[in-house]
């Protein structure tokens, strides 16, 4: 997938729209609510939803309820009424271009994990029913590998993983979606050989004719100049979003990791890839350095940002981002290979009193390993 394919964003909306509906009734928030409260049966419609099915009362209800129906209640056929025929679904290794491909991919995954349950952890959104909505849906999935499938013989082992799905929605239908799952953690938990799984993923892409495109430099530096001092904040809709983009540009592109201790709370909780649960500024610094160190020439580029005031206080911000560079450093992927890497990432931040108190960051090491193997197949 090229970086230009993923730059689409929902239309900018006034900050007030992300907090209140036209009827001045609050849109649902996931924190502090049980599932039955997130998909209410007799709640009046709290937000204008032109063209949406009658059962949905606001955009959070929509994304939580339809995801539950399709994945947990196994009503896979709802994809035909909830996705456009020409929807595009991006992930870190491969792109689906039709609704029918989405149906087939959903069936394939349900076969392997029929006991899986996906629980909404957060939904951060913006937009309206005229211009379209954008949702960033963080899901915690639990289940057991009990069936023979594309992953081979079942291991009967349990798992807990995180996924973020960003969707662009208009009149009840998703027409573009980005999905990042912690597949490396999943494969390790159910006891599979991740090298073999990554090789099979790469071979499938290789047999279809896909290749890793290495264009050399990624644009983070212009000739011999240092990185840009100023951050491009044109994606932002609010002051909080602008501030968050500036922080991350300083950390990831200018490599000023000392900024972390300024903008993160001392007791910050970090929920990262490979299902890591860490605490404190030092852990955030270590995990951020681990990604940059693995791709030391990487350029961090935000692609979409949205935010909502939070019932717990402060604001929650969702950023979809990419990092492009080369595997030039040690880390979770082992010895440097020099292969081109494309990281598709999702991050949710809880900002309170000017500090980040919670971070959920997700990218897939398995997809990166498969990219390395795809490049090696081409070289061979």
């Amino acid at each position: 997938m090229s970086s230009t394919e993923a730059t689409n964003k929902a239309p900018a909306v006034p900050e007030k729209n992300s907090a209140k509906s036209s009827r001045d009734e609050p849109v649902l928030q996931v924190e502090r609510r049980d599932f039955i409260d997130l998909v209410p049966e007799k709640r009046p419609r709290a937000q204008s939803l032109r063209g949406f099915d009658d059962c949905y009362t606001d955009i959070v209800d929509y994304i939580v309820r339809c995801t539950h129906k399709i994945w947990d209640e196994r009503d896979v056929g709802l994809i035909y009424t909830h996705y456009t025929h020409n929807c595009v679904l991006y992930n870190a290794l491969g792109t689906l271009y039709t609704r029918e491909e989405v149906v087939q991919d959903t069936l394939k995954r349900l076969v392997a994990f029929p006991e899986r349950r996906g629980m909404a952890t957060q939904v951060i959104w913006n937009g309206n029913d005229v211009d379209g909505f954008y949702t960033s849906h963080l899901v915690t999935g639990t289940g057991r590998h009990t069936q023979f499938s594309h992953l081979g013989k079942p291991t009967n082992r349990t798992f807990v993983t995180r996924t973020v799905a960003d969707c662009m929605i208009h009149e009840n239908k998703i027409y573009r979606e980005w999905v990042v799952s912690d597949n490396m953690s999943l494969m390790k938990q159910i006891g599979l050989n991740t090298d073999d799984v990554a090789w099979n993923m790469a071979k499938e892409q290789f047999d279809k004719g896909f290749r890793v495109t290495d264009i050399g430099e990624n644009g983070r530096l212009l000739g011999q100049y240092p990185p840009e001092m100023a951050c491009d904040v044109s994606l932002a809709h609010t002051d909080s979003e602008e501030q968050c983009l500036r922080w991350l540009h300083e950390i990831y592109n200018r490599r000023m990791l000392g900024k972390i201790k300024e903008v993160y709370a001392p007791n910050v909780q970090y929920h990262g890839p490979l299902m890591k649960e860490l605490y404190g500024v030092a852990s955030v610094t270590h995990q951020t350095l681990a990604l940059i160190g693995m791709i030391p020439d990487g350029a961090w580029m935000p692609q979409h940002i949205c935010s909502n005031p939070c019932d717990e206080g402060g604001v929650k911000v969702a950023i979809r981002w990419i990092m492009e560079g080369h595997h030039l450093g040690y880390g979770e992927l082992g010895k440097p290979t020099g292969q081109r890497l494309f990281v598709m990432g999702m991050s949710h931040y809880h900002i309170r009193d000017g500090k980040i108190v919670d971070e959920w960051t997700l990218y897939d090491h398995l997809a990166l390993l498969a990219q390395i193997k795809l490049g090696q197949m081409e070289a061979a």
Side-chain angles (χ1 to χ4, degrees):
M1 186 187 74
S2 68
S3 61
T4 55
E5 285 180 309
T7 56
N8 302 283
K9 61 179 182 130
V13 294
E15 186 168 10
K16 63 181 181 180
N17 284 352
S18 64
K20 297 287 185 179
S21 72
S22 58
R23 299 185 184 184
D24 201 35
E25 237 181 276
V27 174
L28 291 170
Q29 292 192 14
V30 172
E31 56 266 16
R32 300 182 180 182
R33 285 179 171 84
D34 189 28
F35 176 76
I36 58 175
D37 300 316
L38 292 172
V39 290
E41 294 301 321
K42 296 182 180 180
R43 181 179 187 242
R45 180 161 281 186
Q47 183 180 36
S48 179
L49 293 175
R50 184 187 67 181
F52 283 74
D53 290 350
D54 292 339
C55 63
Y56 302 122
T57 63
D58 62 37
I59 194 60
V60 174
D61 178 353
Y62 168 85
I63 203 68
V64 173
R65 190 189 298 259
C66 75
T67 302
H68 175 83
K69 285 183 176 182
I70 293 169
W71 286 93
D72 291 350
E73 297 184 8
R74 312 302 190 238
D75 286 334
V76 179
L78 283 178
I79 291 172
Y80 292 111
T81 57
H82 286 67
Y83 284 74
T84 60
H85 74 287
N86 59 349
C87 64
V88 182
L89 191 153
Y90 302 102
N91 60 50
L93 191 74
T95 304
L96 305 180
Y97 290 99
T98 70
R99 179 170 57 200
E100 192 60 28
E101 285 183 287
V102 175
V103 171
Q104 293 174 14
D105 186 70
T106 304
L107 290 169
K108 180 177 74 172
R109 298 181 190 283
L110 285 175
V111 166
F113 309 112
E115 298 177 20
R116 180 188 178 276
R117 294 292 179 264
M119 295 167 287
T121 305
Q122 284 175 175
V123 177
I124 304 172
W125 64 278
N126 67 5
N128 56 64
D129 64 343
V130 176
D131 301 312
F133 289 99
Y134 188 104
T135 61
S136 186
H137 184 192
L138 171 62
V139 177
T140 303
T142 64
R144 197 161 57 98
H145 182 214
T146 62
Q147 303 297 316
F148 190 91
S149 67
H150 66 293
L151 296 174
K153 183 180 178 180
T155 63
N156 294 310
R157 291 173 61 169
T158 60
F159 62 86
V160 180
T161 61
R162 282 189 281 262
T163 298
V164 179
D166 279 23
C167 294
M168 298 180 76
I169 309 155
H170 188 251
E171 295 191 354
N172 209 75
K173 287 187 171 64
I174 296 166
Y175 61 95
R176 194 163 293 129
E177 182 173 7
W178 294 260
V179 178
V180 177
S181 298
D182 196 351
N183 288 312
M184 181 69 88
S185 176
L186 171 62
M187 299 307 159
K188 286 185 175 183
Q189 289 180 61
I190 63 177
L192 299 187
N193 184 307
T194 53
D195 272 335
D196 291 346
V197 175
W199 190 90
N200 289 334
M201 292 169 61
K203 186 65 164 59
E204 182 180 352
Q205 296 295 310
F206 186 85
D207 290 344
K208 291 178 180 178
F210 291 104
R211 300 294 183 268
V212 175
T213 302
D214 191 342
I215 59 172
E217 292 184 346
N218 52 38
R220 189 179 75 89
L221 303 175
L222 181 60
Q224 299 178 57
Y225 288 99
E228 289 285 346
M229 292 289 292
C231 172
D232 181 1
V233 295
S234 58
L235 290 174
H237 313 102
T238 70
D239 292 342
S240 295
E241 293 174 12
E242 282 192 19
Q243 182 184 53
C244 198
L245 288 175
R246 289 192 176 97
W247 288 345
L248 296 171
H249 174 77
E250 189 85 357
I251 293 167
Y252 281 96
N253 287 329
R254 298 197 61 236
R255 312 300 201 233
M256 300 294 286
L257 274 73
K259 189 74 174 177
I260 291 174
K261 68 178 183 295
E262 296 179 24
V263 302
Y264 283 79
N267 60 345
V268 61
Q269 295 189 43
Y270 175 87
H271 320 270
L274 304 176
M275 291 304 292
K276 291 177 180 176
E277 296 287 348
L278 303 173
Y279 304 90
V281 171
S283 65
V284 175
T285 303
H286 178 273
Q287 293 301 299
T288 305
L289 184 59
L291 174 58
I292 297 174
M294 187 168 60
I295 313 173
D297 67 337
W300 184 89
M301 291 170 279
Q303 308 242 285
H304 184 272
I305 187 168
C306 58
S307 62
N308 299 127
C310 175
D311 284 345
E312 299 169 324
V315 63
K316 286 192 175 177
V317 180
I319 301 180
R320 189 183 86 241
W321 53 271
I322 63 171
M323 181 179 280
E324 289 188 296
H326 296 84
H327 184 214
L328 300 175
Y330 284 88
E332 297 284 357
L333 301 179
K335 183 179 178 180
T337 62
Q339 294 292 334
R340 180 81 173 190
L341 289 179
F342 168 81
V343 184
M344 181 187 292
M346 310 282 198
S347 294
H348 285 193
Y349 300 93
H350 185 189
I351 302 172
R352 193 165 56 201
D353 299 325
K355 299 279 189 178
I356 297 173
V357 297
D358 259 310
E359 175 181 346
W360 294 261
T361 284
L362 196 60
Y363 53 90
D364 186 12
H365 289 88
L366 188 67
L368 298 178
L369 185 58
Q371 289 176 40
I372 290 173
K373 293 186 181 298
L374 180 58
Q376 291 171 337
M377 285 181 186
E378 183 176 4

